[in-house]
Amino acid sequence: MEAVDLICKERFTTDQRRVLVSLTQSSIELVNLISLDLEKLYEEIEKVVGPATVARVYRAVDELLEGLESNFKAPQVTKEPVR
């Protein structure tokens, strides 16, 4: 993504292991362009199935995400003793 100018990476001066990843102006413009198309698509979907169905789908997706987040357990990391 960096090679096609969508992100910019910079190392922190205080900790070279950390990297700050930022969107470039090109990627922000791309997101804005795609967002316009998505809004039109969502309007068309709502016209076909109706606003009540769209609202139910959004609620179902929200419930799914909440369930996944509340049940997700990060893997246990075990550190090898330093020798």
Side-chain angles (χ1 to χ4, degrees):
M1 290 173 60
E2 190 175 21
V4 293
D5 194 38
L6 293 177
I7 62 168
C8 177
K9 295 193 287 187
E10 301 173 64
R11 293 213 178 265
F12 283 78
T13 55
T14 56
D15 185 349
Q16 290 293 304
R17 297 170 297 176
R18 297 178 61 199
V19 177
L20 175 65
V21 179
S22 305
L23 297 177
T24 63
Q25 187 61 39
S26 298
S27 64
I28 292 170
E29 291 169 7
L30 183 59
V31 167
N32 290 335
L33 180 65
I34 291 169
S35 295
L36 294 174
D37 290 340
L38 285 175
E39 283 300 317
K40 290 177 188 173
L41 182 58
Y42 290 144
E43 288 174 11
E44 290 299 316
I45 291 171
E46 191 169 294
K47 285 179 188 175
V48 173
V49 300
T53 301
V54 171
R56 284 195 308 272
V57 169
Y58 281 134
R59 281 194 304 274
V61 170
D62 287 342
E63 289 175 17
L64 172 66
L65 292 174
E66 287 172 13
L68 291 172
E69 289 170 357
S70 66
N71 290 312
F72 177 76
K73 292 186 171 105
Q76 296 295 319
V77 178
T78 56
K79 294 183 179 180
E80 294 292 321
V82 178
R83 298 178 193 219

